[in-house]
Amino acid sequence: MLIELTGRTALVTGSTQGIGLAIATTLADAGARVAVNGRAGDTVASVIAALREEHADRDLVAAPGDVTDVAGADAVLAATGDIDILVNNLGIFGAMPALDITDDDWRRYFDVNVLAAVRLIRSALPGMKERGWGRVLNIASDSAVVIPAEMIHYGMSKTALLAVSRGFAKDAAGTGVTVNSVLAGPTHTGGVEDFVYELVDRSLPWDEAQREFMRLHRPQSLLQRLIEPEEIANMVAYLSSPLASATTGAAVRVDGGYIDSIVP
C-alpha cells in the first residue's frame, strides 16, 4: 500500500513535538509539503532544521503562530498557503477535580481544543471544496468517549471535536473532501515517562514500567502498552491519502483497544 502525497500541502498544528511532530514527519516522508506550526518561531525553525538534517529532501515550511488567536491563525494560514490537508492536532489537557473547574477553565478548553480547529476548518475548507480534493483531520482522544473523571472539561472538548468532524463532513458531502477525527489512545509523548514513574517502581526498565502502568492504571487497554506517536501518525497519513477516499464523517480509533466498544 503506497501512500503518496507529493504535490499536497499539509498544515499540522502543534507540530514541534509529540504526536504533531510525528504526523508532520510522516506526511513529509510521504511527499507532502508540510507546514510546521508552533507558537515560537525559533522553536519551529530548530525543528525544521533537525528534520532536514535527517532527510534533506523533506519539503517543510515554517508556519509559527498561536492558532488559538485570530491574528495568529491568520499568520499561520498566510505562511502555509493553499491547504490540501489540515490536521488539527493542537490541544491542552490537565487534571482537575470536577467541581473545581471554573467557567474560565471550561471556556479555555473549548477555545483551544475546539474553536481553534473550527476556525482553521472554516478558512481551509472552501478552497478544498473548490479544488475538489482535501482532507481535514481532527485529533481527538479516547477521552471523547471514555470521559475521565479527573478532567471532564478535556473530555468534553474532545467529544465536541467528534461532532465538529461529523458536521463539517456533511458540509463537504460530494465534493471530494473528507473530514474525520482520530481517537488517539494513551500515547508515549513528552512528560509521560515522568508521569509513569510517579506511579510505578522507578527501578523498572521503561518497557516494564509502561506495561506495569498500563496494567495498574489503564487496565482496559488491549495493547497493554503506551501507543507510540508514529503509530498515530501512520493512521493520519492513511486518512490523508487518496486511499481513504471513502472514509469521511468518521471517528477512527488508534486507541490500542482502550475504548470498550465493538462499534467504531
Side-chain angles (χ1 to χ4, degrees):
M1 185 178 291
L2 177 64
I3 295 177
E4 176 57 65
L5 297 174
T6 300
R8 305 296 187 186
T9 291
L11 168 62
V12 185
T13 65
S15 48
T16 58
Q17 61 183 340
I19 293 173
L21 176 57
I23 292 171
T25 303
T26 302
L27 294 181
D29 288 345
R33 171 181 176 267
V34 178
V36 177
N37 166 253
R39 286 180 296 180
D42 55 348
T43 302
V44 170
S46 65
V47 167
I48 289 177
L51 290 174
R52 284 179 174 154
E53 186 174 349
E54 291 176 353
H55 293 288
D57 58 348
R58 285 173 174 156
D59 191 357
L60 305 166
V61 60
D66 183 356
V67 296
T68 69
D69 173 79
V70 173
D74 287 345
V76 170
L77 291 166
T80 306
D82 290 341
I83 298 171
D84 301 299
I85 301 164
L86 171 62
V87 183
N88 285 309
N89 167 76
L90 177 70
I92 56 173
F93 70 96
M96 189 177 298
L99 297 180
D100 291 345
I101 304 171
T102 67
D103 287 359
D104 286 342
D105 293 325
W106 284 105
R107 292 189 188 98
R108 178 168 175 255
Y109 271 74
F110 183 82
D111 284 348
V112 174
N113 291 358
V114 183
L115 188 56
V118 169
R119 185 180 295 118
L120 291 175
I121 295 170
R122 199 168 56 217
S123 296
L125 192 56
M128 294 180 182
K129 290 164 66 175
E130 183 178 341
R131 293 188 296 274
W133 197 94
R135 300 287 185 264
V136 176
L137 291 160
N138 297 314
I139 306 303
S141 165
D142 57 82
S143 295
V145 180
V146 186
I147 305 296
E150 73 277 9
M151 48 182 185
I152 61 174
H153 52 334
Y154 172 74
M156 171 279 301
S157 69
K158 293 301 183 178
T159 306
L161 270 185
L162 304 188
V164 165
S165 301
R166 182 69 184 179
F168 278 111
K170 291 181 177 181
D171 180 81
T175 66
V177 179
T178 66
V179 185
N180 295 290
S181 52
V182 175
L183 292 166
T187 304
H188 181 191
T189 58
V192 169
E193 290 191 21
D194 290 338
F195 176 67
V196 167
Y197 278 120
E198 288 176 6
L199 299 173
V200 302
D201 186 350
R202 287 185 174 272
S203 67
L204 291 173
W206 169 247
D207 284 347
E208 293 182 30
Q210 67 165 315
R211 291 185 184 278
E212 183 71 358
F213 166 78
M214 297 300 287
R215 184 182 69 83
L216 294 175
H217 300 283
R218 300 291 187 272
Q220 60 269 54
S221 169
L222 304 182
L223 198 61
Q224 297 185 357
R225 64 166 173 81
L226 291 170
I227 299 164
E228 292 299 324
E230 291 75 16
E231 293 176 301
I232 309 293
N234 289 338
M235 179 61 79
V236 172
Y238 166 71
L239 292 171
S240 298
S241 77
L243 300 174
S245 56
T247 303
T248 190
V252 182
R253 291 162 56 179
V254 193
D255 67 332
Y258 185 90
I259 299 170
D260 192 10
S261 171
I262 60 173
V263 179

